[in-house]
């Protein structure tokens, strides 16, 4: 594909693709780039009989204005469903927005972070160094996908063993 996203998730149905993109700056260029990437991605995938509609999750530092949101939705109509999540958004609102995509399963938040829990708090808990190293050691996207899947299977096994022993 000529276009890349921060995260691409493919469901059991090959027509279901979720792209996640994090942006630090929300301006006119952001809107044009988002529309161009989504249309290019969907068109490229469609010509290869791989995709009909893109589910696009945008992680933004701030909420879009109603004009920006209307422009984005109008430009991507028939191309992508848009889910906007802001960094300061409360977790329950994030879950409500993403519930239209799938039932979200976010990690539990301890009582200390539950009071001010938001998406930025959850992102701080991610061990990015592990994934950066994994990416550097992978020669291709397929190899990276395989290594991440192996890591998740390993974690699932650890949780299953801990649950059985508890």
């Amino acid at each position: 594909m000529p276009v890349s996203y921060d995260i691409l998730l493919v469901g059991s149905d090959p027509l279901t693709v979720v792209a996640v993109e994090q942006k630090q700056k929300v301006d006119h260029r952001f809107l044009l780039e988002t529309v161009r990437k989504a249309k290019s991605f969907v068109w490229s995938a469609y010509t290869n009989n791989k995709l009909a509609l893109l589910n696009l999750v945008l992680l933004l530092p701030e909420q879009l204005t109603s004009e920006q949101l209307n422009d984005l939705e109008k430009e991507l109509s028939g191309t992508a469903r848009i889910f906007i999540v802001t960094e300061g958004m409360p977790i329950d609102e994030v879950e409500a927005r993403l519930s239209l995509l799938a039932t979200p399963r976010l990690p539990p938040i301890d009582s200390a972070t539950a009071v001010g829990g938001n998406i930025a708090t959850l992102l701080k808990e991610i061990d990015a160094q592990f994934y950066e190293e994994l990416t550097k050691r992978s020669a291709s996207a397929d190899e990276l996908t395989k290594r991440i899947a192996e890591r998740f299977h390993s974690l699932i096994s650890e949780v299953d063993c801990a649950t059985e022993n508890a």
Side-chain angles (χ1 to χ4, degrees):
M1 295 281 166
V3 177
S4 65
Y5 285 99
D6 295 332
I7 300 171
L8 271 176
L9 306 169
V10 180
S12 56
D13 173 8
L15 298 179
T16 304
V17 173
V18 178
V20 179
E21 183 86 335
Q22 182 175 14
K23 295 292 185 179
Q24 297 303 318
K25 190 174 179 184
V26 178
D27 57 9
H28 183 69
R29 183 171 176 236
F30 149 78
L31 294 172
L32 293 174
E33 181 183 308
T34 300
V35 169
R36 180 195 58 78
K37 281 178 72 171
K39 286 183 175 181
S40 294
F41 182 84
V42 169
W43 181 250
S44 176
Y46 178 75
T47 58
N48 291 305
N49 298 321
K50 300 285 186 208
L51 179 70
L53 180 70
L54 177 66
N55 295 291
L56 180 59
V57 179
L58 297 173
L59 178 57
L60 306 175
E62 60 200 37
Q63 190 61 267
L64 295 176
T65 66
S66 59
E67 183 180 329
Q68 289 173 319
L69 185 58
N70 286 339
D71 289 347
L72 196 58
E73 288 176 342
K74 185 172 75 173
E75 286 292 325
L76 293 176
S77 178
T79 302
R81 290 192 314 164
I82 305 165
F83 300 88
I84 305 230
V85 176
T86 61
E87 291 176 2
M89 190 176 282
I91 296 300
D92 55 340
E93 189 175 344
V94 172
E95 290 176 340
R97 288 187 183 208
L98 296 180
S99 67
L100 298 173
L101 179 60
T103 304
R105 286 179 281 166
L106 299 175
I109 301 173
D110 63 21
S111 58
T113 57
V115 175
N118 58 38
I119 195 71
T121 306
L122 287 175
L123 292 174
K124 288 179 187 173
E125 301 298 321
I126 294 174
D127 179 14
Q129 185 176 4
F130 169 77
Y131 293 101
E132 287 175 22
E133 288 299 318
L134 202 61
T135 303
K136 289 176 186 174
R137 292 190 322 243
S138 300
S140 68
D142 289 336
E143 184 179 344
L144 176 60
T145 302
K146 181 181 175 190
R147 287 182 181 202
I148 290 173
E150 288 171 353
R151 175 67 175 152
F152 285 141
H153 288 295
S154 171
L155 290 172
I156 290 169
S157 295
E158 287 177 34
V159 169
D160 287 344
C161 287
T163 304
E164 289 175 7
N165 293 335

